[in-house]
Amino acid sequence: MSAAEPLVLAIDQGTSATKAILVDRRGDIVAHGSVPLELSTPAPGWVEQSAEEIWAGCARAVAACLDGRDASRVAAIGLSTQRESLLLWDRATGEPLSPLISWLDKRTAGDPALLRAVPRAELVREVSGLPLDPMFSAPKAAWLLDRYDPDRRRSRAGELCLGTVDSWLLFKLGGAHLIEVGNAARTQLLDVRRCAWDRRLTQIFDVPLEVLPQVVPSQGPFPSTRGLAPLADGVPVTAVLGDSHAALFAHAGWTPGTVKATYGTGSSVMAVVPSAARVSSGLCLTVAWQTGGNPTWAVEGNVRSTGATVNWLAGVLGRGPAELAELAADSSEGVVVVPAFGGLGAPWWDENAVGLISGLTLGTRAGHLARAALESIAFQVEDVVAAVERETGPVTRLLADGGPTGNPVLMRLQADTSGRLVERALARDLSALGAAHLAGLTRGVWDRAALERLDRPRESYAPGGDETTRARRLAHWHTAVRRARLQPTSGDSDLPPARAVGVPHRTPEPSTVQGAS
Ligand SMILES: O=P(O)(O)OC[C@H](O)CO
């Protein structure tokens, strides 16, 4: 390393792009690089990405970020990655045998790999902290092995490697087959309390232990860089975090009581909890990170469609997503959009919920629909925050990050809908920043006190309106959610059948998850 002030490089490998940032000792982002990433949808419900393209994208993002910079000043590297997505590769050749099956992929809904776990759903949930859902890695692992190693012979012989994106990048960097514990906690194969693979879960999904990576704490040890020009080989990777976990870390959400919401295609609401006690059925229990030997647990609720709803409606109306906020009327005039495009995630976890628009009249205009689409984001996030509040106690402020938070209409709506102070992070790329913060901490670029003091600029939105109006609006939303979750009765036999059933979840009744509403 040169004598000049050290810099930390962070790579955020996400679903739609790979970003790299360079962070100085004050915590300021001094350079960026970004490379878009393709998704392919070869069959209905299938979503794949190319593992080699992901690796190439990381290299290009790093090169773009370091362009014109002194690469020898990079003292440490942090990785933040999309989670749950999974691929299979050959250990000896390092060649991917499969594409990366995205977390968005629903191919395992109704597949034997997932259905054989249904009778053990309660055990799976208790041990892994996660409800059965095609989003998580375990059913993807079973699906991949059923195709590429049906008798599991090559898996048991140690010839194959299953891995999430962090595993893949670490393998490409240093040849070791590892997974960071927070990412492992999202596979549904980990005992979330012991932070170790669980034999009952691996048996349920028929995934031999030999094909799984070694679970490593969030500060490593990880391999150093190799082949990531213009970096010299040997720069240490000193932090790996799941992207949602990394955003919570960047918000300084290290203690119970701080709740963050990351807005993107979907949204993740997450908060650290004091212990790994059982959580309510609407939320997931996960490992936020493991530093200094101790795991920190968090509860998380994933909303499937937030930014995606805006993109969808903008497309339908022939507008750009940014125009939708300008188009939005001051009121939806009773129109409610329930964006259950692929069922509903937290806190409902209902595969069979259908997307709907309710409250249409002959007076409904595009502006009312635009308003209702934005409101659906605020309502869904609030449903999860209310569930988190039941686990952690009063939540008076909500820390927000992600692209859609740049929309002031949405942020004001969130504050008014939630009745909580919303504080939006002004820094871009919070997931990358969180990985940089932890990597710099591990490497001694800053100590804990200096990390706490780093500037975290925010913009605040105080809640407006009164409690009665808030409760009435939420009740109206929940009525529409109940309609979206309504199943046809046998008397509706002249109607087309409900779409293919995924996994029957035990879902909470609206009345039990509305909480304060
Ligand atoms: O790639 P993102 O930022 O949409 O995040 C994906 C999540 O990690 C999926 O759980």
Side-chain angles (χ1 to χ4, degrees), residues 13-16 81-84 103 135 186 243-244 265 302:
Q13 201 307 297
T15 313
S16 52
T81 54
Q82 57 168 309
R83 308 163 304 160
E84 297 109 21
W103 60 279
M135 180 170 89
R186 300 289 294 183
D243 51 11
S244 195
T265 306
N302 299 92

Short mmCIF file of all heavy atoms in Angstrom, two decimals, residues 13-16 81-84 103 135 186 243-244 265 302, ligand 1:
data_model
loop_
_atom_site.label_atom_id
_atom_site.label_comp_id
_atom_site.label_asym_id
_atom_site.label_seq_id
_atom_site.Cartn_x
_atom_site.Cartn_y
_atom_site.Cartn_z
N GLN A 13 -22.87 -6.13 -5.91
CA GLN A 13 -23.33 -6.93 -7.04
C GLN A 13 -24.85 -7.12 -6.89
O GLN A 13 -25.30 -7.96 -6.11
CB GLN A 13 -22.58 -8.27 -7.09
CG GLN A 13 -22.61 -8.93 -8.47
CD GLN A 13 -24.01 -9.10 -9.02
OE1 GLN A 13 -24.81 -9.80 -8.43
NE2 GLN A 13 -24.34 -8.44 -10.13
N GLY A 14 -25.64 -6.36 -7.63
CA GLY A 14 -27.09 -6.41 -7.51
C GLY A 14 -27.76 -7.05 -8.71
O GLY A 14 -27.09 -7.46 -9.67
N THR A 15 -29.08 -7.09 -8.68
CA THR A 15 -29.84 -7.78 -9.71
C THR A 15 -29.78 -7.07 -11.06
O THR A 15 -29.70 -7.71 -12.10
CB THR A 15 -31.32 -7.88 -9.28
OG1 THR A 15 -31.35 -8.34 -7.93
CG2 THR A 15 -32.10 -8.82 -10.16
N SER A 16 -29.81 -5.74 -11.02
CA SER A 16 -29.87 -5.02 -12.30
C SER A 16 -28.54 -4.38 -12.68
O SER A 16 -28.38 -3.93 -13.81
CB SER A 16 -30.97 -3.97 -12.27
OG SER A 16 -30.81 -3.16 -11.14
N THR A 81 -23.84 -8.19 -1.86
CA THR A 81 -24.36 -8.99 -2.98
C THR A 81 -25.87 -9.20 -2.89
O THR A 81 -26.44 -9.23 -1.80
CB THR A 81 -23.71 -10.38 -3.02
OG1 THR A 81 -23.87 -11.00 -1.75
CG2 THR A 81 -22.25 -10.32 -3.38
N GLN A 82 -26.48 -9.37 -4.07
CA GLN A 82 -27.86 -9.86 -4.11
C GLN A 82 -27.87 -11.22 -3.40
O GLN A 82 -26.88 -11.95 -3.40
CB GLN A 82 -28.36 -9.99 -5.55
CG GLN A 82 -27.53 -10.87 -6.45
CD GLN A 82 -28.25 -11.20 -7.77
OE1 GLN A 82 -29.38 -11.63 -7.77
NE2 GLN A 82 -27.56 -11.00 -8.88
N ARG A 83 -29.00 -11.56 -2.82
CA ARG A 83 -29.05 -12.77 -2.00
C ARG A 83 -29.99 -13.81 -2.63
O ARG A 83 -30.73 -13.50 -3.54
CB ARG A 83 -29.56 -12.42 -0.59
CG ARG A 83 -28.78 -11.30 0.03
CD ARG A 83 -29.51 -10.68 1.20
NE ARG A 83 -30.84 -10.23 0.83
CZ ARG A 83 -31.83 -10.01 1.70
NH1 ARG A 83 -31.62 -10.21 2.97
NH2 ARG A 83 -33.01 -9.59 1.30
N GLU A 84 -29.94 -14.99 -2.10
CA GLU A 84 -30.83 -16.13 -2.45
C GLU A 84 -30.58 -16.73 -3.83
O GLU A 84 -30.83 -17.91 -4.04
CB GLU A 84 -32.33 -15.73 -2.35
CG GLU A 84 -32.78 -15.35 -0.98
CD GLU A 84 -33.05 -13.87 -0.85
OE1 GLU A 84 -33.28 -13.20 -1.87
OE2 GLU A 84 -33.02 -13.35 0.28
N TRP A 103 -33.18 -14.83 -7.42
CA TRP A 103 -34.12 -14.80 -6.29
C TRP A 103 -35.54 -14.51 -6.80
O TRP A 103 -36.52 -14.88 -6.18
CB TRP A 103 -33.70 -13.77 -5.25
CG TRP A 103 -33.61 -12.36 -5.77
CD1 TRP A 103 -32.57 -11.80 -6.48
CD2 TRP A 103 -34.58 -11.32 -5.65
NE1 TRP A 103 -32.85 -10.50 -6.80
CE2 TRP A 103 -34.07 -10.16 -6.29
CE3 TRP A 103 -35.83 -11.23 -5.03
CZ2 TRP A 103 -34.77 -8.96 -6.36
CZ3 TRP A 103 -36.53 -10.03 -5.08
CH2 TRP A 103 -36.00 -8.92 -5.75
N MET A 135 -38.59 -18.10 -3.42
CA MET A 135 -37.53 -17.08 -3.44
C MET A 135 -36.21 -17.59 -2.83
O MET A 135 -35.13 -17.24 -3.28
CB MET A 135 -38.00 -15.85 -2.66
CG MET A 135 -36.98 -14.73 -2.61
SD MET A 135 -37.67 -13.20 -1.95
CE MET A 135 -37.36 -13.41 -0.22
N ARG A 186 -29.97 -16.74 4.29
CA ARG A 186 -31.08 -16.58 3.34
C ARG A 186 -31.21 -17.79 2.41
O ARG A 186 -32.00 -17.75 1.47
CB ARG A 186 -30.88 -15.30 2.52
CG ARG A 186 -30.83 -14.05 3.36
CD ARG A 186 -32.15 -13.67 3.94
NE ARG A 186 -33.11 -13.29 2.94
CZ ARG A 186 -34.34 -12.85 3.20
NH1 ARG A 186 -34.76 -12.77 4.45
NH2 ARG A 186 -35.16 -12.52 2.23
N ASP A 243 -26.89 -7.62 0.45
CA ASP A 243 -27.08 -6.19 0.14
C ASP A 243 -28.01 -5.48 1.12
O ASP A 243 -27.76 -4.33 1.51
CB ASP A 243 -27.51 -5.98 -1.32
CG ASP A 243 -28.70 -6.83 -1.76
OD1 ASP A 243 -29.36 -7.44 -0.90
OD2 ASP A 243 -28.97 -6.86 -2.97
N SER A 244 -29.08 -6.16 1.51
CA SER A 244 -30.02 -5.53 2.43
C SER A 244 -29.37 -5.32 3.81
O SER A 244 -29.57 -4.28 4.46
CB SER A 244 -31.24 -6.44 2.56
OG SER A 244 -32.28 -5.76 3.13
N THR A 265 -36.80 -2.59 -6.78
CA THR A 265 -37.83 -3.34 -7.50
C THR A 265 -38.91 -3.75 -6.51
O THR A 265 -40.10 -3.55 -6.71
CB THR A 265 -37.20 -4.61 -8.11
OG1 THR A 265 -36.09 -4.21 -8.87
CG2 THR A 265 -38.18 -5.38 -8.96
N ASN A 302 -39.88 -8.84 3.28
CA ASN A 302 -39.66 -8.46 1.87
C ASN A 302 -40.99 -8.21 1.18
O ASN A 302 -41.85 -9.08 1.17
CB ASN A 302 -38.93 -9.57 1.12
CG ASN A 302 -37.57 -9.84 1.73
OD1 ASN A 302 -37.44 -10.69 2.59
ND2 ASN A 302 -36.59 -9.08 1.31
O1 LIG B 1 -30.34 -6.85 -6.24
P1 LIG B 1 -31.29 -6.14 -5.35
O2 LIG B 1 -30.73 -4.87 -4.80
O3 LIG B 1 -32.64 -5.99 -5.97
O4 LIG B 1 -31.48 -7.06 -4.04
C1 LIG B 1 -31.88 -8.37 -4.17
C2 LIG B 1 -32.11 -8.93 -2.79
O5 LIG B 1 -30.92 -9.20 -2.11
C3 LIG B 1 -32.94 -10.17 -2.87
O6 LIG B 1 -33.23 -10.63 -1.59
#
